Amino acid sequence: MRNTTTTPARPVLITAVALTATGSLLLTPHTAGADPKPVTRADTREGSALDTGAAKSPESAARRALIAPAAARTDTRGYPRRQSLAPDPENPADKSLKLGLTPYHAIAPKLNALQALGDRVSVEVAGTSAGGRRLFLVTVTAPETARQARAQERMRELIENAPAAAAKDRTIKADYKTPVFVNNNIHGNEWEGTDASLKLIEQLATAGDARTRDLLAHSRLYFNVTANPDGRIAGTRANADGFDLNRDFVTASQPETRAMRQIEIDKQPAVMLDLHGYVNGTLIEPTTPPHGENYEYDLFLKNTYANALGMEAAVNGLGYTPAKDGVQPAQIPFRDQDEGWDDWPPIFTPQYAAFHGTVAAHTVEIPLTVNNAAYTTLPVEELRRRSAINTAVAGAALRATLDFVGAHRASLVADQIEVFRRGSVGAAQVPVSAQSVPGVPGIGPEDVYTTAFPRAYVLPAGTTSTARLVDHLLANDVRVTRAARAFRLGGRSYPRGTYVVDMRQPKRGLANVLLADGRDISDKVSVMYDISGWSLGRLWGAEVVAVPGGGLSGLSLRPVSAAAPVASVAPRGDLRLRLDDPNAVAALNSLLKQGVSVRRSAEGDGSVVVPASARAKAVAVARTYDVSFTAASATHLTGTGVAPLRPVRVAAAVTAGELFALREMGFDVAPVSTAVLNAGFDWSTADVLFVSAGLDRAALTASARSALDAFLAGHGLVGRGADGAAVGVGAGLLDVTAVEGNGDANGVVRVVNWGGPVTAGAPDHSFVYAPVWFTDLGPGVRVEQAYAAGSPLVSGHWRALADGSGGPSAAAGRPSVVSGPHAVLFGTEPLFRDHPKGEFPQVAQALITMAQASSSGLVEESG
């Protein structure tokens, strides 16, 4: 796995400064040298009275390009666009070869050949994977001049930005090419969508029939050939960073996800397919309840169900049978299942696409398993037979979808316009019913999910976490404004510079799905397929205020294309850095690696003190990580007898998301597991052990267990979940009982922080998946955090087990994080999938606390 630690910054020369109201230095940097500095967050480019006094940095243009509005980046050259792709080195280890499918190294030559077939196929590189491989986006359409391409772009912009006008525009009705997006191979070991798309592209490139000519004259077809080339080659579901990309769309932590996001924004597809495997018979969305409450489900269900019927007929029409081929008839969950395959969270590609105006979006699960155990146990001939059938099934779904687009082009575009119109004017959602969605059978009250959109969200400015959240909203094509003057809204006063998200905007559903608390849906369905709560407003560490009503017309609000930088350094004296954000932790680790003598604050408030002698280095890291160093008061200064912090080396048996988050925060991490320890791990390379998965103390050899116990006796442990607690309790580090809640439970929970070194200043919300709490606390065990009394669940799905145990009421008031002299145990998931950014510092504080205790020999007993 690649090391994802942010590259250390080059020396930065400060050529000018400005004073904030508190006397801190706002940084106006000039970077020495020609190569660009690592970028962590974008600068502002408002050019208004809101500018902080910091001049634009040399890399501002590049940073702005990361989050600039889609229309500003859209390429309006005509089609075809010839691009000769350099070949990739031949890789005989590519797992797709065994299946008789196209290996990744053959894709670029194949696309070159397809472009040469005529004037319909164009190829571009949409990005690169976590492993550095190219992501190929193919466009198939009738030729366009540059002038015609610009006209198409103007119509696309009008549809989003002026939907009421677009609905009446005769040119759009006559000439707009319906965008269709096909996403393939997002799970690397679900291969065949790629091959089906390559075959279809070849057919479309040369077909001379009237239907094909008409389709391409009135549509643009976009194919993401393989969304996960790393996984395709390795035969893994995840990418090179270990991430399931089809769970990443809220966070967009991975480059492949960001590339898909940008395709959605730039191309604005009305229809999309995401080709997966393997469910027999072929599973075709729409799904079972619960349905995403933030999108216009009446429009989505109408089109998705109609297209599903066509795909079902095409797949069944191939003639495969259970007896002869092992292929069951296709199924449509909305019609054929009660629950268990939902469209509630926007972490999946089709559910995310709906917020960008896609009114028919489908996960399609092709039927015959060829991955995992089947890949290693079945004969090659059987695997290739299955792959051939799967490719044919995926091809049938693709062709049926193109037939649907050809027959319903006008209504698909009209419904996309209506999605944006409702958002722009603040129209009410239309609940699904037999009347609002005619032709869809079986609609009942269990299918009705709507929400009350606030009039606006207000994000008070000035913190790194707020700036990150603003930039994330902008990257998702959510419109954000900033106040040029102080104002009052919703009964509260806000200063100049405050961010406002006006919810009367085309993509209000996406704005709300990211910022709202969400909903407790525990009583709606008995089981959920994946996460059920994800609120950035609660989990990213920024203050987010929902304003239910009231007008914004009297406010002086200006659109922004990037958040304003917040980096500042106090002009004199020792400096204080609050570790309340992952960027602040990364800044601390950067200073420690540079040899700066940093100590924890004597206040015990989760901050650290940097000596005045390191001001120049503080200035550099403040700019790199967009953090603020304030003046340290006398109460923060630590006595000379307290040892300074030093870089923390972490041995980590953790999930891929946790490993990624640790490295984002600048920790030196060595992944370990039961197998690694049994092979003989060098414990002298570690200061602390972090365990959440993959380490079973009982499965260690005698020598490995002895080495582990010897390390833990003189060092610290940070554990998360049942596995982490088992190591800590098993080694005798902490006298507690870990109680496991419902293993399917997940969501956003209320917590109470008790003010210890781990959770000082932490948010009052956290995230859980398979929650754990602690009882029977023995001597020396300190409660750092507890689940809130009553019902701690804010949003998500958390039910008690059949025997009444394991539910939120059993967890209420119980400790969720506990510590002792040599261990910290978490029952929450503060690093889940690299998502809950505001929770990251709790793990950082735990690692620092344990490493400091072991290095200094200090043991702090507490009851």
Side-chain angles (χ1 to χ4, degrees):
M1 186 170 292
R2 291 161 51 255
N3 188 319
T4 55
T5 304
T6 304
T7 306
R10 293 176 290 104
V12 177
L13 305 178
I14 303 302
T15 57
V17 296
L19 289 178
T20 68
T22 58
S24 296
L25 297 175
L26 278 168
L27 309 184
T28 305
H30 171 74
T31 307
D35 56 310
K37 179 185 71 62
V39 174
T40 58
R41 199 184 58 72
D43 290 325
T44 182
R45 65 168 184 175
E46 296 168 27
S48 72
L50 297 174
D51 289 344
T52 61
K56 303 301 181 286
S57 62
E59 77 280 12
S60 289
R63 297 170 77 183
R64 290 196 303 268
L66 295 175
I67 61 167
R73 289 193 308 282
T74 302
D75 191 340
T76 53
R77 292 174 296 154
Y79 288 102
R81 302 172 185 176
R82 305 294 185 191
Q83 181 171 177
S84 179
L85 300 170
D88 293 283
E90 186 171 340
N91 182 2
D94 190 307
K95 298 293 186 180
S96 57
L97 285 166
K98 183 177 180 179
L99 303 173
L101 300 172
T102 306
Y104 178 75
H105 60 257
I107 291 177
K110 177 71 171 177
L111 295 180
N112 285 337
L114 290 173
Q115 289 182 100
L117 289 177
D119 57 5
R120 297 174 177 175
V121 178
S122 304
V123 180
E124 60 189 289
V125 176
T128 55
S129 70
R133 297 180 175 92
R134 292 171 294 177
L135 305 172
F136 302 115
L137 181 67
V138 175
T139 304
V140 184
T141 193
E144 298 173 15
T145 66
R147 182 177 180 180
Q148 289 171 326
R150 287 193 295 272
Q152 288 292 316
E153 182 56 27
R154 284 194 294 271
M155 287 186 278
R156 188 202 68 78
E157 292 177 1
L158 192 68
I159 287 171
E160 178 185 350
N161 300 323
K168 302 174 183 177
D169 193 291
R170 294 181 179 179
T171 304
I172 289 176
K173 293 179 181 178
D175 299 332
Y176 184 59
K177 290 185 171 183
T178 309
V180 180
F181 177 37
V182 178
N183 201 49
N184 300 296
N185 201 201
I186 190 171
H187 290 148
N189 61 354
E190 298 168 12
W191 290 271
E192 292 92 342
T194 293
D195 291 79
S197 286
L198 288 172
K199 289 184 177 182
L200 179 60
I201 292 166
E202 185 170 5
Q203 294 164 4
L204 294 171
T206 56
D209 61 284
R211 177 185 287 183
T212 300
R213 291 197 303 271
D214 182 71
L215 174 72
L216 299 184
H218 294 95
S219 305
R220 282 184 182 172
L221 313 179
Y222 302 103
F223 298 84
N224 191 13
V225 178
T226 169
N228 184 1
D230 302 340
R232 183 176 187 83
I233 292 169
T236 58
R237 181 182 180 91
N239 72 345
D241 277 336
F243 274 73
D244 184 334
L245 300 173
N246 203 42
R247 304 292 186 273
D248 192 42
F249 279 92
V250 168
T251 312
S253 68
Q254 300 301 295
E256 299 95 333
T257 313
R258 295 191 290 272
M260 288 180 276
R261 176 179 71 187
Q262 205 57 55
I263 292 168
E264 290 284 352
I265 293 171
D266 289 344
K267 310 307 182 185
Q268 202 167 289
V271 177
M272 76 90 60
L273 296 186
D274 200 29
L275 293 172
H276 287 252
Y278 302 96
V279 177
N280 196 2
T282 302
L283 181 147
I284 305 169
E285 287 200 42
T287 69
T288 68
H291 307 298
E293 64 180 353
N294 287 284
Y295 46 75
E296 309 304 321
Y297 195 66
D298 61 315
L299 303 175
F300 185 85
L301 179 59
K302 161 193 167 184
N303 292 293
T304 305
Y305 188 78
N307 191 34
L309 292 176
M311 286 191 279
E312 177 188 42
V315 169
N316 290 342
L318 293 173
Y320 297 123
T321 67
K324 179 170 67 74
D325 308 294
V327 177
Q328 300 292 332
Q331 55 183 312
I332 300 172
F334 183 89
R335 181 193 65 197
D336 301 330
Q337 300 177 13
D338 291 330
E339 60 178 43
W341 200 287
D342 60 274
D343 55 39
W344 177 256
I347 57 175
F348 311 121
T349 319
Q351 278 58 61
Y352 179 77
F355 294 116
H356 293 292
T358 305
V359 293
H362 306 260
T363 292
V364 176
E365 299 275 355
I366 53 182
L368 297 180
T369 302
V370 296
N371 61 3
N372 304 329
Y375 187 94
T376 58
T377 60
L378 293 178
V380 170
E381 295 77 11
E382 172 61 12
L383 288 173
R384 293 190 173 188
R385 182 192 75 85
R386 292 186 178 195
S387 284
I389 291 174
N390 287 336
T391 303
V393 169
L398 286 168
R399 291 188 298 274
T401 295
L402 297 187
D403 289 343
F404 177 75
V405 171
H408 300 282
R409 181 186 74 87
S411 63
L412 287 166
V413 173
D415 285 344
Q416 182 179 80
I417 291 171
E418 175 63 7
V419 169
F420 294 143
R421 186 200 70 81
R422 291 181 187 176
S424 296
V425 301
Q429 293 171 297
V430 177
V432 296
S433 65
Q435 292 71 41
S436 64
V437 195
V440 178
I443 296 175
E446 72 278 4
D447 295 305
V448 178
Y449 285 82
T450 58
T451 191
F453 295 106
R455 182 60 185 86
Y457 284 100
V458 179
L459 284 67
T463 67
T464 304
S465 54
T466 298
R468 174 191 293 107
L469 181 51
V470 167
D471 281 343
H472 189 69
L473 293 170
L474 293 167
N476 281 277
D477 207 29
V478 172
R479 299 175 183 180
V480 183
T481 61
R482 200 166 180 224
R485 296 191 300 270
F487 66 97
R488 188 170 179 82
L489 188 64
R492 177 174 166 180
S493 297
Y494 297 95
R496 168 179 172 267
T498 298
Y499 298 102
V500 177
V501 179
D502 185 347
M503 288 298 287
R504 291 188 180 172
Q505 59 171 294
K507 297 182 180 179
R508 68 169 177 186
L510 185 51
N512 207 55
V513 84
L514 295 177
L515 294 175
D517 285 354
R519 190 199 299 192
D520 179 353
I521 57 170
S522 304
D523 62 341
K524 300 296 182 182
V525 290
S526 64
V527 66
M528 285 293 293
Y529 182 65
D530 204 86
I531 65 167
S532 313
W534 53 84
S535 171
L536 305 190
R538 293 297 186 185
L539 298 178
W540 274 36
E543 184 182 6
V544 176
V545 182
V547 180
L552 306 182
S553 58
L555 307 184
S556 180
L557 302 175
R558 300 177 182 178
V560 298
S561 59
V566 300
S568 64
V569 177
R572 62 187 62 85
D574 291 335
L575 304 170
R576 175 176 176 246
L577 175 65
R578 288 185 57 85
L579 300 185
D580 56 359
D581 184 89
N583 275 28
V585 177
L588 167 64
N589 280 324
S590 177
L591 290 173
L592 294 177
K593 290 172 185 178
Q594 295 177 64
V596 176
S597 180
V598 183
R599 289 177 167 84
R600 295 182 104 169
S601 166
E603 286 283 282
D605 58 358
S607 64
V608 294
V609 177
V610 178
S613 59
R615 178 170 278 98
K617 292 179 179 177
V619 163
V621 299
R623 181 180 180 276
T624 299
Y625 298 104
D626 200 31
V627 297
S628 296
F629 290 82
T630 58
S633 67
T635 59
H636 294 117
L637 301 181
T638 307
T640 56
V642 177
L645 301 177
R646 61 183 178 86
V648 178
R649 302 170 301 171
V650 183
V654 295
T655 66
E658 290 169 324
L659 180 64
F660 192 86
L662 291 173
R663 287 174 168 166
E664 275 189 315
M665 290 189 287
F667 289 104
D668 291 327
V669 187
V672 298
S673 63
T674 302
V676 169
L677 298 193
N678 281 339
F681 179 68
D682 181 6
W683 285 106
S684 69
T685 62
D687 301 307
V688 62
L689 174 64
F690 183 18
V691 176
S692 68
L695 200 164
D696 182 357
R697 190 172 179 276
L700 295 175
T701 64
S703 60
R705 187 161 52 251
S706 176
L708 170 64
D709 290 346
F711 173 82
L712 293 176
H715 295 76
L717 169 76
V718 176
R720 195 270 302 162
D723 287 356
V727 173
V729 174
L733 299 181
L734 216 56
D735 185 9
V736 297
T737 299
V739 180
E740 297 182 53
N742 189 331
D744 291 332
N746 67 83
V748 182
V749 294
R750 285 181 289 268
V751 294
V752 177
N753 296 305
W754 284 38
V758 174
T759 60
D764 58 1
H765 288 76
S766 193
F767 184 83
V768 294
Y769 203 122
V772 170
W773 55 93
F774 303 97
T775 62
D776 305 323
L777 276 58
V781 177
R782 177 190 181 107
V783 177
E784 296 278 350
Q785 181 188 87
Y787 294 105
S791 179
L793 186 67
V794 174
S795 59
H797 189 271
W798 186 356
R799 285 187 167 195
L801 297 169
D803 62 3
S805 67
S809 61
R814 297 289 191 176
S816 55
V817 182
V818 294
S819 66
H822 295 292
V824 177
L825 300 181
F826 287 88
T828 58
E829 280 249 27
L831 303 183
F832 181 78
R833 293 180 185 167
D834 194 46
H835 173 69
K837 302 288 188 180
E839 317 303 319
F840 287 13
Q842 296 175 48
V843 173
Q845 294 279 21
L847 293 170
I848 292 167
T849 299
M850 290 297 98
Q852 187 180 31
S854 64
S855 65
S856 66
L858 296 178
V859 176
E860 183 178 318
E861 297 287 350
S862 57

